[in-house]
Amino acid sequence: MNAVLKIFLSMSFSGSLLILALLFGKQFLKNKISRQWQYYIWLVVVLRLLLPFGTEVSLMGKAYQAVDQAISQTAPLPPQQQPPLNAPESNLAPAVGAEHHNETVNSPADDVTTAHPLQDIGVLLISQIWLVWLVAALGLLIRKITIYQGFMRYIKAGLTPVSDIERLDELSIVAERLGIKKPIELCVNPLVSSPLLIGFFHPCIVLPGADIPEKDFRCIVLHELTHYKRRDMFYKWLVQITVCLHWFNPLVHLMSREITRACEFSCDEAVLAKMGSGSAQDYGKTLLDAMAAVGRYKENLGAVTLSENKQLLKERLGAIMKFKEQSTSGKIWTAVLTLCVVLGAAFVGVYTAGNVQAASLPGTAPDTAGRPALSLDVSSAAVNVLAAADNQISAEYNSDVYTVRISQQNRDWKVSIACKTSTNTNDETIKLYLPNVDYSDVKLKADNGYLTCGLIRSGNIVGNFNMASVFLILPEGFSGSVNAIADSGYFQLVSQDDFKNTTATITDNGDWGEIYKPKNFKEDGNTFTFTDGTGANTIRVTRKGSGVIGIYTSQSVTASNELPDDWKDLWQDEWQGKPWEDDWWQNTWREDDTSHAPAASAERSEKTGTASADIERYYEAGSLPLFEITFPRLDESTQKKWLEKLYANGDFAFFSVAARRLDANSALFTGFAEKAYVDGKTAFFSILTDCMDETQLNLWLDRALEDGNWAFQSMLFDKVGKRDEFDELKAKQEKEWAEAQMAEYEAVGVTMVDEKTYYYQGQLVNIFLDIRKEGSFYTLNMNPKGTINIKITRDANENITGAAYMTEAEVAELFGDMEDLDDTTDVELIPVDFKTVAAGETICLGEYTLSEGDEILYSISVKTGNQIKVFFAKDGQEDAAYWSVDNLRQPGESLECIADFTVGPPAAKPGTYQLYLQAPDGALGTVRGSISIGSAAKTS
């Protein structure tokens, strides 16, 4: 049966239980509890019918589990079922008396041949039953909408607007008392049976006639506007949608009628609460008068009315005359009952189906051999799958660190493993023992953990791996399929029979990383394929994000696609016999149990030395994935040297992958965070914040606020999800700073009208220059209409001492640096002129070949916006930036990007790069200037 329909049916059953409970409780509570509560409590039931929420262990979940188990236990096994190949002897049970049965019963083959057509028809009907449900639901909903539209057309055709000013004023007064600001129309249609309210967004009260006594009119208007204020029409349509979806459930139809009745009772109660209990008799008389109306067109589900049938009117009049304010004890009981109903709705629950991101491959046959299905979910844990000796699932693990849940119900086996803390470093390996049998469907999920499994010899394997290191070994004789998605991690797939009778497809959709494959895989763009023999086994692996995929046979690959030595050793020396926790990944895990240590200290030193040589080679080759997986194998002192080198070289990409492999609480990590903060290196600090928890981020934010460090405040507010607070703080301080700056300029005779207009001694300024902090920060404004050039003078403490006219020599010196490049014929000038750059937008300004010694000059100004970033990147890899400038607007100052670089090591090697301009923090307006590239080869 379709899983969605199965969930929906469980929701219908859950809702039915609540409907019965409320209907039963109504007999005892009808006159003892608020009518408004009796109306709105049905919302809990409606939500139960529409939303699949519930507790982890629920009544409906247990019921479905019991039904599934009963069905699986009574379902006959297919004829001539053979035990799985290589199954342990404990799995083979002799069929006692089989010979005697064969003598007296028909041939199984004959029975199957006769039954197949009927079985096929039955399976087809069951598999398509969801379509019947959906068509009926849509048909019923369309019918209700069509009836409502016909009703509205009929009502509007006979509407006559009321023009009596007194009546309209009375309507406005009542609406204002109820807090309704939207204008309400008032019309007359003699065909309606009683006053009613129509219109979801343009409300209109429709009266049967205009000659209604003033007292009745006030009651009618108050009643209908109460419906509007409570959004009863929306509630009514929500119920109708629920009825359409659960059209097969008679209790839902009964619920709809009860909600309609409760709606009028609760509205009466709300009106009397406004008018006072002394007005009950007048209000009841209004209902009787409405019932006597001569109209003949009955109300529709899309409207809310004042009066309905005589039986309901009688009940409403009785409730009105008995109305009294709810006592404090009644309110307490109301709260307790509400809590009980909500908890009951959650406890009843729904049927839950497992979620998978990748699906079984098309064309894979469903399991018909009664083999178990396996689901293994690993989160932030290191798991080694081993064969169980007793065909029972079990695990050896540290219960203080991990949570392990095992469910072995009949043929549906589930294992869930997760770390109890958010800062787990996978210091301990879990040994998971699984029965060594043939499986049907196998779902493997690993999120930020380690998983090795070489036990699955048959079945349809679906793998979803995110930031995980996974070693999946297909034993000899594997029969089935593999469909795996490896997102930003390390996935190694090994076939011990060299992909015999297999069709394999490897797709590379990753941003950066590497794929290692055997020599006989054919390459076509980003896809690698291989077919052997019958091709019956199907393997599909997709790489996403960043990371490494290795597809291995039992033989080494060619030298042109050589595996790292460590990985070959891992296959040859470690995977063939040694326990998995002794492999080289474990060398960084510092297990407390030294009996599992893979080597003595001398061996560790030797491996560390090998790692140092390897990581140097990977760095020179520019291989980020291999650099990252090797970095944890270094000792702490070597790690520190590498981090210092990357920091000094401004190598953000390699620094980022190295930082990800550090413990955020280690002295090495905190030391570099401190260094980046003190040095003002926002890019490096941002990399480290990606590895911090919320507590650490808030501590750094407090420090940045105390220091008044705007650049780090902006970054940290973003990281903790409080950007709005920063914007408010920034706007406030910018205003204060601008006012203080204007006052300082005013004190020395400079009047600042706006950011582009300055006056000095009554004359409009052409060039205005205010340099501080030894030239590293300045305000420069040019107004072509100005006639004088002015500079602000400051003392050693950055205090303004006065204003002075600029000499011609000073003006020439100011613009000389920019003119130097323009006067050179061997300079490529890239103009920058954008009216707007959208928030988060990255614009490519072209591709350029840079040689060692080339000079790069950025000279860009931004009129509006908070932050601009200009950088080069290689092969479209925007996350690895070179010659990057990332400037944040300072309070009261203009936003500019002015910098110069020389191409060459250690920043980056010469080559072909793309040039980008980016708006990281909000949109930019009026971005103008130029970028110049001066060729060293031509100018020398």
Side-chain angles (χ1 to χ4, degrees), residues 705-741:
L705 288 169
E706 183 179 348
D707 296 343
N709 194 321
W710 278 90
F712 284 83
Q713 285 178 31
S714 174
M715 176 202 313
L716 289 163
F717 269 114
D718 274 338
K719 296 292 184 181
V720 297
K722 299 179 180 178
R723 183 68 197 183
D724 291 342
E725 291 185 24
F726 174 75
D727 291 339
E728 293 176 4
L729 178 64
K730 179 182 175 183
K732 178 182 177 182
Q733 295 199 7
E734 279 184 347
K735 182 179 178 181
E736 295 175 353
W737 194 95
E739 291 174 351
Q741 184 70 79

Side-chain angles (χ1 to χ4, degrees), residues 54 162 452 476 604 701 776:
V162 173
T452 180
E476 290 187 25
R604 287 184 181 272
L701 177 57
S776 60

Side-chain angles (χ1 to χ4, degrees), residues 294-311:
V294 297
R296 59 186 175 84
Y297 199 94
K298 296 297 180 181
E299 66 283 344
N300 181 269
L301 59 90
V304 282
T305 68
L306 179 68
S307 178
E308 296 189 18
N309 59 66
K310 293 181 180 180
Q311 179 60 35

Side-chain angles (χ1 to χ4, degrees), residues 384 386 452 473 569-584 597-599 603 607:
N384 180 21
L386 303 171
T452 180
I473 305 168
D569 293 341
L570 188 63
W571 163 244
Q572 296 168 356
D573 301 333
E574 306 292 343
W575 285 352
Q576 294 183 342
K578 290 187 179 180
W580 181 73
E581 64 265 25
D582 290 345
D583 70 32
W584 62 272
E603 185 179 348
K607 290 191 174 184

Side-chain angles (χ1 to χ4, degrees), residues 79-80 106-120:
Q80 298 180 345
N106 295 330
S107 168
D110 295 337
D111 294 340
V112 172
T113 302
T114 305
H116 272 175
L118 294 177
Q119 290 179 354
D120 292 342

